[in-house]
Amino acid sequence: MTKGPTRAPHRGLLKALGLTNDEINRPLIGVANSWNEIIPGHLHLDKVAEAVCSGIRSAGGTPFRFGSIGICDGLAMNHVGMKYSLMSRELIADSIEVMATAHPFDALVLVPNCDKVTPGMLMGALRLNIPAIVVSGGPMLPGRYKNKTTDLITIFEAVGAQAAGKISEAELEDLAGHSCPGPGSCAGMFTANSMNCLSEALGLALPGNGTIPAVSADRIRLAKLSGEAVMNILSLNLRPRDLATPIAFQNALAVDMALGCSTNTTLHVPALAHEAGVAFTLKSINELSRKVPHLVSLSPGGLHHLTELNEVGGVMAVMKELAAAALVNPEALTVTGHPLGDSLDKAPGINDGVIIRSVTTPYHKEGGLAVLYGSLAPDGAVVKQSAVADIMLKHTGPARLFNSEEEATEAILAGRIKTGDVVVIRYEGPKGGPGMREMLTPTAAIIGLGLGEDVALITDGRFSGGSRGAVIGHVSPEAAEGGPIALLEEGDLIEIDIPNRVLDFKVEATELEQRRAFLPKFEPKIKTGYAARYTRDVSSGAHGAIMK
């Protein structure tokens, strides 16, 4: 873009920005920044991006910031806006590709936060395969209310408690004012923090990216170091696909299991693997889940938060414990320019084992996620088993059918769901939603009503990383594609057996054939604009809901 006589017009345009010849002749580094004023996780990203630029300049590069869209899943929850959350991931990936191709940067630094922005930016970087590093905005601090630690999920679950008369509306509002104390991605092991942690495990971010608090000076220092590091990997010509190898994905899945990450990682990790050209199936999750124990119990399934994990060494301390048990491969290269093992050597041990337990004394012997198969989910369904009460690991109950999240939420809050029921929300998958809405409102309402150990919820949509309980999502094939979930009728018995990875329903094959003959043709809910194109082109949740 800048070399030779034919590029004189290009240099003229760059000089219009006030750049000197020296700045134009340095490596040009794109800094993709999702800063905006509507998402708490993004409010401070202008400061993070400026620190990245400082690091780039100090290492001899010329930075150029450019913007990316982003959606706050919390603000989009339980209305039509949530249909567009997962959809935004593809737009973000495409925008990274478009910006860095039209303006051919030598390297990229990605500055995201929140659920779809981190995976979207990483997908774009893997697609481009130019030297790149990610540095997120980091997690929010937890809140405090009536001498208890709180976070966003505390508020969502309190909605159910208020509906049940356990707390007043004034108390609910007071809680809302104390549970999200400032900028950052929401404080538990929800989707944003899951993906920011896994970016470390994949070798695409510096140690600390997933856990250093948003408001810490360490976050600014990490951003400066990331700016310097991108110049180093540029000099080494170390590219994202050199790092995101099959070994790195195995390491990331092991960390996913040990941390009890969000079920949404089963959408984003396959999508990243697709861009990296790495073979991946949901069965890989079950293989790792059987071998890798659950070592860290963070909200929503546990009492701890990201700040506490950061204090005891963060992701690298977890990986050090896993590597000692041969569950992580320390030979994988990272954006440090060195093997993972070099970073693990510097990480602390697990000390007293309060936040990070040893592999011999885990919270659970199996990893945080499990994929279920059976007559209801031939292509798989996903559950965060580390957040399921023991009594609900095996459950059989009658289906209570709803064809939208709104219908189910109304029934739950109205008290129409009873002990033993299996709430089924269908036509909310990638095509059917469209956009595979998160079901945090109904799952949190179930918990708030005190039904978390009595009621299961199944959907072809998905769940927030903040959901807990016997909630099973990503049922594939989805109802809109004629999957078995579309054939369910009210009262059908559903069998859930998480230890044996089974999701079945008890209906004879001849009866199913009769039902299929009368199954109406699926009609898209949105027939214009981007959502209509997405409905047409999106793949199954079992394949990461990538675009065909």
Side-chain angles (χ1 to χ4, degrees):
M1 185 172 67
T2 62
K3 308 299 182 185
T6 60
R7 297 294 185 259
H10 304 64
R11 292 191 294 275
L13 289 169
L14 291 173
K15 288 183 178 181
L17 300 174
L19 296 180
T20 66
N21 285 335
D22 183 47
E23 287 175 310
I24 293 171
N25 288 327
R26 294 173 185 171
L28 307 183
I29 313 299
V31 180
N33 177 16
S34 58
W35 173 85
N36 59 67
E37 293 182 326
I38 185 64
I39 305 176
H42 296 201
L43 186 63
H44 62 306
L45 292 187
D46 55 339
K47 305 296 190 299
V48 176
E50 180 52 47
V52 167
C53 293
S54 176
I56 291 169
R57 292 189 190 100
S58 70
T62 300
F64 295 89
R65 281 178 282 182
F66 65 90
S68 162
I69 65 167
I71 287 179
C72 174
D73 280 20
L75 292 174
M77 198 71 64
N78 198 228
H79 59 82
V80 70
M82 179 49 73
K83 295 178 184 290
Y84 290 82
S85 173
L86 183 58
M87 293 186 202
S88 73
R89 186 189 70 179
E90 314 311 312
L91 292 174
I92 293 163
D94 290 349
S95 69
I96 299 295
E97 175 193 358
V98 167
M99 284 295 291
T101 304
H103 316 103
F105 298 119
D106 296 295
L108 284 172
V109 182
L110 313 173
V111 185
N113 231 12
C114 300
D115 294 20
K116 310 309 170 296
V117 188
T118 298
M121 285 193 177
L122 285 172
M123 287 166 65
L126 285 163
R127 188 182 302 168
L128 289 163
N129 203 33
I130 61 175
I133 187 171
V134 60
V135 54
S136 74
M140 184 186 292
L141 297 175
R144 296 287 293 177
Y145 182 70
K146 293 187 176 179
N147 207 33
K148 292 183 179 179
T149 302
T150 59
D151 55 37
L152 177 68
I153 305 309
T154 314
I155 312 172
F156 269 101
E157 293 182 356
V159 172
Q162 190 271 329
K166 298 178 181 179
I167 62 172
S168 68
E169 191 171 340
E171 287 175 304
L172 175 62
E173 195 62 27
D174 199 21
L175 171 67
H178 287 85
S179 296
C180 298
S185 48
C186 296
M189 188 51 77
F190 314 141
T191 304
N193 293 327
S194 294
M195 292 308 301
N196 289 337
C197 287
L198 293 189
S199 65
E200 287 188 51
L202 280 168
L204 299 173
L206 292 179
N209 179 65
T211 59
I212 294 173
V215 295
S216 171
D218 284 343
R219 177 59 56 178
I220 299 300
R221 277 187 282 274
L222 181 72
K224 291 178 180 177
L225 292 172
S226 297
E228 294 173 3
V230 80
M231 297 302 295
N232 179 50
I233 61 175
L234 174 60
S235 69
L236 297 172
N237 195 26
L238 198 58
R239 299 170 182 244
R241 290 185 216 161
D242 299 328
L243 306 176
T245 62
I247 290 174
F249 275 96
Q250 288 293 301
N251 285 348
L253 282 179
V255 171
D256 195 334
M257 297 306 118
L259 292 179
C261 289
S262 163
T263 53
N264 282 312
T265 61
T266 65
L267 290 173
H268 301 321
V269 173
L272 295 179
H274 173 76
E275 298 290 353
V278 173
F280 184 95
T281 68
L282 288 182
K283 292 181 179 178
S284 303
I285 292 171
N286 278 345
E287 292 168 7
L288 265 293
S289 182
R290 296 292 194 191
K291 293 193 293 186
V292 181
H294 178 217
L295 304 183
V296 182
S297 187
L298 303 181
S299 175
L303 300 176
H304 303 299
H305 289 82
L306 268 293
T307 51
E308 295 165 274
L309 177 58
N310 186 65
E311 289 166 4
V312 296
V315 173
M316 290 299 119
V318 175
M319 295 189 81
K320 185 170 187 173
E321 176 67 12
L322 293 174
L327 296 170
V328 152
N329 188 331
E331 299 301 316
L333 274 178
T334 75
V335 287
T336 64
H338 301 284
L340 171 66
D342 289 10
S343 297
L344 300 186
D345 289 342
K346 300 172 187 175
I350 59 172
N351 300 319
D352 58 10
V354 174
I355 306 297
I356 306 171
R357 291 191 177 179
S358 75
V359 294
T360 58
T361 59
Y363 284 96
H364 301 96
K365 291 181 180 179
E366 294 188 357
L369 299 180
V371 180
L372 312 184
Y373 294 92
S375 58
L376 191 53
D379 294 342
V382 181
V383 63
K384 189 171 184 174
Q385 62 176 349
S386 59
V388 179
D390 288 346
I391 196 173
M392 290 297 290
L393 290 172
K394 291 187 176 184
H395 178 76
T396 299
R400 301 295 309 280
L401 289 181
F402 303 95
N403 288 332
S404 72
E405 178 190 4
E406 289 85 354
E407 293 175 18
T409 300
E410 180 185 0
I412 293 166
L413 292 176
R416 299 203 301 270
I417 302 302
K418 307 301 180 186
T419 295
D421 284 349
V422 179
V423 176
V424 177
I425 306 176
R426 60 189 179 183
Y427 293 100
E428 289 285 9
K431 286 183 180 295
M436 209 176 185
R437 284 195 289 181
E438 287 187 348
M439 302 294 165
L440 180 55
T441 298
T443 62
I446 286 170
I447 297 294
L449 288 165
L451 295 173
E453 297 187 1
D454 302 300
V455 169
L457 192 151
I458 294 173
T459 182
D460 54 6
R462 60 191 176 91
F463 296 113
S464 163
S467 292
R468 61 188 174 108
V471 293
I472 301 166
H474 308 201
V475 171
S476 301
E478 62 173 296
E481 292 191 318
I485 192 171
L487 305 178
L488 278 173
E489 292 186 356
E490 187 81 10
D492 285 347
L493 283 182
I494 295 176
E495 178 192 2
I496 301 166
D497 185 346
I498 295 172
N500 291 307
R501 308 296 194 254
V502 172
L503 183 61
D504 278 333
F505 68 122
K506 308 297 185 181
V507 179
E508 295 294 331
T510 52
E511 169 67 15
L512 291 179
E513 289 176 12
Q514 292 175 7
R515 293 183 187 182
R516 185 169 294 282
F518 292 96
L519 187 66
K521 180 182 177 182
F522 169 69
E523 284 291 330
K525 295 174 184 173
I526 302 177
K527 299 183 180 181
T528 60
Y530 176 56
R533 300 200 307 274
Y534 185 90
T535 299
R536 182 190 67 218
D537 295 336
V538 70
S539 71
S540 165
H543 301 132
I546 59 174
M547 301 298 276
K548 295 177 183 176

